[in-house]
Amino acid sequence: MLKGKTAVITGGSRGIGKAIAIKLAEMGANIVVNYRSSSIDEVLTEIKAFGVNAIGVQCDISNSEDADKLIKTAFAEFGSVDILVNNAGITKDGLIMRMKDQDFDSVINTNLKGTFNTIRSASSIMMKQRSGKIVNLTSVVGITGNAGQANYAASKAGVIGLTKSVARELASRGITCNAVAPGFIETDMTGALSDKVKEATLNTIPLKKLGTTEDVANLVGFLASDLSNYITGQVINVDGGMVM
Ligand code: NDP
């Protein structure tokens, strides 16, 4: 379904990004996996098992020059950038009265500025191609807010505004831009939470279970494919009914 397409996934070394990279490879795309510090040899081996080409690009997407290099490397290697998934994200939780400048800035710079950085670089390539699929990872807390996550929720709400603006700006060139809002997905990011917090969260989920990385990857696969051609500027939750 994505044969011959080039997909760039930020933060693809583990968690949701890794599952997305594997899903898009299974659908036939050549994959460019970005990561910051982890080793990705195993991820690349898993991806290549689907018979597609894959490269890893280490860079910090909050740095605009690095992000630009990521997109240019993808284009130089495969000749197109058809799918861009902005998945890389971090948390630095804390109550607002004690939140340090650095904890606010680093979360905004990675989650929001990083997403802007890669979209800005990819947009000129996609505009020339007159096609492209951009999928940004936001979060349900970008819609609802969350105590202790002012920085993270603000960054994810920012991603929603960015998504809708890009969708409007690039629509005439055949480019779609949508956001995926996961609820509570089992990854390293949520693994750090206490059992008490997990239990309390479970009670707010109508489907009474945590999501898997594959649940999120399945939606991203759909949004990256031609099946979603008439969908743009949307925020779609993958949250077991947590927010409705
Ligand atoms: P993880 O913490 O498991 O993985 C984060 C990934 O992002 C890693 O690959 C990491 O690379 C990469 N990364 C972090 N900072 C940078 C950076 N500056 N430049 C490049 N790569 C970076 O996160 P999840 O898989 O849980 O989350 C993925 C996305 O989904 C995030 O945007 C998150 O906000 C969102 N989300 C997750 C939810 C959940 O329940 N897990 C819920 C809602 C949204 P490295 O391994 O090298 O550090």
Side-chain angles (χ1 to χ4, degrees), residues 10-18 20 34-40 57-63 86-91 106 109-111 137-141 152 155-156 180-191 211 213 216 238:
T10 67
S13 52
R14 52 199 167 90
I16 293 171
K18 178 181 170 187
I20 292 170
N34 154 256
Y35 60 105
R36 186 182 43 178
S37 51
S38 303
S39 155
I40 55 151
V57 179
Q58 180 178 21
C59 80
D60 178 349
I61 49 119
S62 67
N63 177 306
N86 284 300
N87 163 83
I90 58 168
T91 51
S106 62
N109 285 339
T110 301
N111 301 2
L137 270 287
T138 178
S139 165
V140 290
V141 308
Y152 182 74
S155 75
K156 293 300 188 179
V180 168
F184 203 124
I185 310 297
E186 276 185 286
T187 66
D188 293 346
M189 189 177 268
T190 48
T213 56
V216 182
V238 187

Side-chain angles (χ1 to χ4, degrees), residues 92-96 99 141 144-153 193 197:
K92 290 272 163 72
D93 298 352
L95 297 175
I96 192 132
M99 191 172 281
V141 308
T144 62
N146 197 21
Q149 288 197 307
N151 50 359
Y152 182 74
L193 300 172
V197 172

Side-chain angles (χ1 to χ4, degrees), residues 90-177:
I90 58 168
T91 51
K92 290 272 163 72
D93 298 352
L95 297 175
I96 192 132
M97 60 187 285
R98 285 195 224 116
M99 191 172 281
K100 298 193 178 76
D101 284 5
Q102 203 203 344
D103 290 344
F104 189 84
D105 293 347
S106 62
V107 169
I108 297 288
N109 285 339
T110 301
N111 301 2
L112 179 56
K113 179 85 189 310
T115 301
F116 160 76
N117 284 340
T118 57
I119 294 176
R120 181 173 57 185
S121 298
S123 63
S124 61
I125 295 171
M126 288 181 170
M127 282 168 79
K128 277 189 209 126
Q129 290 172 177
R130 295 199 156 263
S131 68
K133 300 273 186 189
I134 301 170
V135 183
N136 300 324
L137 270 287
T138 178
S139 165
V140 290
V141 308
I143 301 165
T144 62
N146 197 21
Q149 288 197 307
N151 50 359
Y152 182 74
S155 75
K156 293 300 188 179
V159 166
I160 292 173
L162 176 64
T163 300
K164 292 179 181 179
S165 303
V166 170
R168 287 186 187 279
E169 205 170 310
L170 303 184
S172 64
R173 303 295 183 105
I175 300 162
T176 65
C177 183

